Amino acid sequence: EKAGYKHFMAKEIAEQPVVLGDALAHYLPEDRINLPETLDFTDLDRLTLVACGTAFYACSVAKYWFEQIAGLPCEIDVASEFRYREPPLPAKSFAVFVSQSGETADTLAALRYCRERVERTVAVVNVATSSIARESDVALPILAGVEVGVASTKAFTCQLLVLAVMALKAGVDRGRLTPDALAAHVEALRHLPGLMNAALSLAPQIGKLAEQLSQAQDILFLGRGSMYPLALEGALKLKEISYIHAEGYAAGELKHGPIALIDRTVPVIVLAPHDRLFDKTVSNMQEVMARHGKVLLISDARGIASASEGSWATLKLPEVPEPFAPILYALPAQLLAYHTAIAKGTDVDQPRNLAKSVTVE
Ligand code: M6R
């Protein structure tokens, strides 16, 4: 069942190039965006994205895409807050519910709240027969295949892919994407499975870093732009399975509080592709190093060449077109969590206190 891997999580991390390829073949066949006609974003005033845990972080990344690619105002919320806040919703809006299991109680309740209030409810789910899929107007399968590990991995990257394709359709519908720009984005997404293979080959290097990370009491993750939600996801993954306290922060927030935590015992993992925000993130990273924080810089060749001085370690990923970097950078974050947990000897597939599907509040 584990196909020769020690844990389901390892198998599911390794499967990502293949399952992402399957999702790409389904949603971007030839030169077409394969989404239902009823998902017409033309006249929308707002998109609302609701989910829990890792699925919420997928929504948080997608917010950057819907805003930047499609100029579509986008609200995100965790389902447990959204459902009791009972927010007003513009009638000309879609509400999107992202859930691997499709059975998360809070997400289902949020969907039920939205049903009569928005134009269309959309489920982005792995389990196509689930409650959330059945009760939504439109259900989009993420095609990740069965995910067994409690820590969500391949479902996250496949959720991101489906949300990215939705953002492209929104960009076309709203006249924000020229045919050439669309073609460039599609091309970039199609390259991802190959780039993911390169990221997976970092596993031995990550295994060595994990020996040291497993000694830490606290670990920080920093990112800017769409790398900020990925910092949150990296921290969630690590705390879930290694039980090390980890926090993700927007790099620019560092000086508003968390920098007080930095000393030589605190590893700081910086997720920073060489994009338009790179220099800003580097200056935050330098503030960490000035206080003897142990920086692990995850970047591409250009980023590492220009900013690795003074860091504890680096991990080099291939270059990836700017908006979609989170889909690739998720892999080293998952591998860091996995190998750190292995070094600590925790139960990776069945971490304490957690269930795969949270069907009660
Ligand atoms: O099945 P769902 O996607 O609705 O589950 C949501 C969260 O419970 C889930 O992502 C959780 O945070 C994972 N254990 C994260 O790895």
Side-chain angles (χ1 to χ4, degrees):
E1 248 185 348
K2 292 181 197 153
Y5 291 91
K6 269 202 188 139
H7 301 97
F8 283 107
M9 186 181 177
K11 169 175 171 276
E12 288 159 5
I13 290 172
E15 279 172 351
Q16 289 176 104
V18 172
V19 293
L20 199 88
D22 295 344
L24 276 163
H26 179 85
Y27 286 102
L28 294 172
E30 291 119 35
D31 287 333
R32 205 157 57 79
I33 296 178
N34 182 23
L35 285 175
E37 289 293 313
T38 50
L39 272 191
D40 184 342
F41 295 86
T42 312
D43 295 321
L44 288 194
D45 291 329
R46 194 206 285 166
L47 193 67
T48 299
L49 299 165
V50 182
C52 300
T54 286
F56 171 67
Y57 297 138
C59 297
S60 311
V61 170
K63 177 182 170 75
Y64 289 81
W65 295 336
F66 283 107
E67 290 180 356
Q68 281 166 15
I69 298 174
L72 178 57
C74 186
E75 189 197 9
I76 50 170
D77 210 342
V78 287
S80 56
E81 285 302 311
F82 181 91
R83 65 178 289 195
Y84 294 114
R85 200 173 85 242
E86 304 188 335
L89 295 166
K92 273 191 181 176
S93 67
F94 292 170
V96 182
F97 304 88
V98 181
S99 175
Q100 188 287 127
S101 63
E103 300 296 346
T104 299
D106 284 324
T107 311
L108 183 57
L111 161 64
R112 289 177 179 158
Y113 171 78
C114 289
R115 277 197 63 97
E116 308 303 317
R117 293 178 167 86
V118 300
E119 209 168 280
R120 201 106 44 250
T121 52
V122 184
V124 175
V125 288
N126 201 24
V127 182
T129 52
S130 59
S131 307
I132 291 173
R134 280 185 279 112
E135 293 192 27
S136 297
D137 298 322
V138 178
L140 303 175
I142 61 167
L143 306 172
V146 177
E147 189 181 69
V148 177
V150 165
S152 187
T153 53
K154 62 177 181 170
F156 178 67
T157 44
C158 288
Q159 285 162 352
L160 286 177
L161 192 265
V162 175
L163 293 165
V165 174
M166 287 171 69
L168 294 185
K169 175 144 193 331
V172 172
D173 290 349
R174 299 168 71 80
R176 298 278 294 228
L177 268 186
T178 63
D180 281 357
L182 172 64
H185 283 316
V186 169
E187 176 80 358
L189 289 171
R190 291 210 178 112
H191 272 122
L192 281 167
L195 303 184
M196 282 178 156
N197 279 316
L200 292 173
S201 72
L202 295 172
Q205 219 183 318
I206 290 176
K208 286 194 194 117
L209 299 176
E211 293 288 334
Q212 287 199 48
L213 291 176
S214 68
Q215 310 295 313
Q217 299 255 316
D218 308 280
I219 298 183
L220 297 185
F221 286 76
L222 301 181
R224 266 182 193 263
S226 59
M227 285 293 146
Y228 162 43
L230 203 69
L232 300 172
E233 166 62 5
L236 174 66
K237 211 97 299 172
L238 187 75
K239 70 184 110 176
E240 262 191 305
I241 58 169
S242 75
Y243 316 145
I244 295 174
H245 171 239
E247 297 294 339
Y249 281 99
E253 275 290 292
L254 194 68
K255 55 167 75 65
H256 299 286
I259 199 163
L261 298 172
I262 305 292
D263 65 22
R264 52 186 91 247
T265 68
V266 180
V268 180
I269 299 174
V270 181
L271 299 155
H274 195 275
D275 58 16
R276 75 197 157 89
L277 299 173
F278 182 73
D279 293 342
K280 303 274 175 206
T281 310
V282 166
S283 78
N284 303 126
M285 189 176 99
Q286 284 162 346
E287 289 158 5
V288 170
M289 295 191 300
R291 285 152 187 91
H292 311 290
K294 264 170 82 163
V295 168
L296 165 55
L297 172 62
I298 307 182
S299 186
D300 47 37
R302 280 192 296 163
I304 288 174
S306 74
S308 63
E309 204 184 317
S311 62
W312 162 57
T314 59
L315 287 171
K316 185 158 68 187
L317 289 172
E319 290 196 14
V320 51
E322 181 160 350
F324 305 124
I327 304 181
L328 181 65
Y329 280 62
L331 273 63
Q334 297 164 355
L335 288 167
L336 278 165
Y338 177 76
H339 288 284
T340 304
I342 296 295
K344 286 202 71 176
T346 52
D347 185 345
V348 174
D349 283 334
Q350 283 295 332
R352 68 188 183 199
N353 309 342
L354 294 173
K356 180 66 183 160
S357 184
V358 184
T359 54
V360 290
E361 289 190 53

